[in-house]
């Protein structure tokens, strides 16, 4: 039975011995021969505060400057929310009062992590930077490397343990948009 809580860390190793079976891949297992199979599911919640800001690249383009916001303008978010995972897809922008086809996403989060090796997987469109404990670990700030509305995916390995902070900076320039960050336990 599942232990109550937000974190999920399930690993089942099973063996079947019995009548002849055909696996989901079409492999026949003769009656009486052992067939090994497994199930794994991992979810590490991160306490995210996500802010969205309207962007007008005719006025200021963070891709060209490398700076998220213009140094002489103070911006207020058009939308915010608290979530335990980043997993977004937008068509035609975000709705916050009005439709914002171009926008900036800033997500900051914290999590208590069991010591071990992890894989951080990130899918985005158009540009993104990821920081773990203040250190830049993914820098994909050049959307011209990808085709229009292509959603690149990148994986990196991290050694984590204890309390960690995460920051994601994301730019959407119009069209389809996505931002998805997942952690996978490797050991």
């Amino acid at each position: 039975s599942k232990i109550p809580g937000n974190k999920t860390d399930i690993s089942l190793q099973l063996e079947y011995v019995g009548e002849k079976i055909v696996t989901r891949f079409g492999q026949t297992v003769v009656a009486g021969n052992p067939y090994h199979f497994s199930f794994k599911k991992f979810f590490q919640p991160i306490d995210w505060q996500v802010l969205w800001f309207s962007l007008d690249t005719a006025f200021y383009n963070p891709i060209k400057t490398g700076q998220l916001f213009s140094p002489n303008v103070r911006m207020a978010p058009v939308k915010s929310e608290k979530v335990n995972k980043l997993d977004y897809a937008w068509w035609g922008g975000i709705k916050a009062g009005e439709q914002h086809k171009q926008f900036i996403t800033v997500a900051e989060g914290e999590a208590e992590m069991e010591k071990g090796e992890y894989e951080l997987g990130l899918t985005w469109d158009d540009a993104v930077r990821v920081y773990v404990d203040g250190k830049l670990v993914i820098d994909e700030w050049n959307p011209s490397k990808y085709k229009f509305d292509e959603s690149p995916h990148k994986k990196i390995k991290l050694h984590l343990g204890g309390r960690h902070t995460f920051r994601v900076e994301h730019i959407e320039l119009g069209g389809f948009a996505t931002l998805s960050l997942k952690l996978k336990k490797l050991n």
Side-chain angles (χ1 to χ4, degrees), residues 127-185:
V128 71
R129 293 188 286 221
V130 177
Y131 301 82
V132 177
D133 298 327
K135 180 183 173 200
L136 182 63
V137 295
I138 295 179
D139 187 2
E140 293 289 342
W141 209 246
N142 183 358
S144 67
K145 291 179 8 183
Y146 305 100
K147 296 176 187 160
F148 178 72
D149 280 349
E150 177 183 2
S151 299
H153 183 77
K154 188 170 196 169
K155 295 177 183 178
I156 62 167
K157 291 185 178 155
L158 298 169
H159 182 77
L160 301 172
R163 192 118 193 108
H164 293 279
T165 60
F166 300 85
R167 179 178 170 91
V168 177
E169 300 173 348
H170 166 255
I171 301 289
E172 175 51 38
L173 301 173
F176 174 74
T178 187
L179 178 61
S180 179
L181 183 146
K182 295 193 175 23
L183 283 172
K184 177 179 170 184
K185 192 174 178 186

Side-chain angles (χ1 to χ4, degrees), residues 55-185:
L55 176 63
D56 181 353
T57 54
F59 170 71
Y60 180 76
N61 189 332
I63 300 298
K64 289 182 181 175
T65 66
Q67 301 297 316
L68 204 52
F69 300 104
S70 173
N72 56 358
V73 174
R74 191 170 178 103
M75 294 186 63
V78 295
K79 184 177 178 178
S80 69
E81 69 181 14
K82 291 181 184 241
V83 295
N84 68 1
K85 65 181 175 178
L86 293 182
D87 196 12
Y88 297 102
W90 303 274
W91 289 264
I94 60 167
K95 186 152 178 83
E98 61 184 88
Q99 197 76 9
H100 300 273
K101 292 182 179 185
Q102 296 184 328
F103 57 90
I104 296 170
T105 309
V106 177
E108 294 183 317
E110 289 187 2
E112 187 71 34
M113 310 286 294
E114 186 177 305
K115 188 175 182 177
E117 297 296 319
Y118 293 84
E119 178 182 89
L120 185 148
L122 182 71
T123 304
W124 72 93
D125 182 281
D126 285 301
V128 71
R129 293 188 286 221
V130 177
Y131 301 82
V132 177
D133 298 327
K135 180 183 173 200
L136 182 63
V137 295
I138 295 179
D139 187 2
E140 293 289 342
W141 209 246
N142 183 358
S144 67
K145 291 179 8 183
Y146 305 100
K147 296 176 187 160
F148 178 72
D149 280 349
E150 177 183 2
S151 299
H153 183 77
K154 188 170 196 169
K155 295 177 183 178
I156 62 167
K157 291 185 178 155
L158 298 169
H159 182 77
L160 301 172
R163 192 118 193 108
H164 293 279
T165 60
F166 300 85
R167 179 178 170 91
V168 177
E169 300 173 348
H170 166 255
I171 301 289
E172 175 51 38
L173 301 173
F176 174 74
T178 187
L179 178 61
S180 179
L181 183 146
K182 295 193 175 23
L183 283 172
K184 177 179 170 184
K185 192 174 178 186

Side-chain angles (χ1 to χ4, degrees), residues 5-70:
N6 290 334
K7 184 177 177 178
T8 302
D9 191 359
I10 299 169
S11 179
L12 301 173
Q13 305 293 322
L14 303 164
E15 177 183 85
Y16 169 80
V17 178
E19 298 296 317
K20 173 182 139 181
I21 62 168
V22 177
T23 70
R24 63 183 175 161
F25 301 110
Q27 174 192 7
T28 300
V29 179
V30 179
N33 281 3
Y35 174 67
H36 299 272
F37 59 103
S38 63
F39 172 81
K40 286 186 178 186
K41 184 174 183 178
F42 179 81
F43 173 67
Q44 171 65 55
I46 298 174
D47 295 324
W48 292 103
Q49 171 68 49
V50 187
L51 304 173
W52 289 275
F53 300 85
S54 184
L55 176 63
D56 181 353
T57 54
F59 170 71
Y60 180 76
N61 189 332
I63 300 298
K64 289 182 181 175
T65 66
Q67 301 297 316
L68 204 52
F69 300 104
S70 173

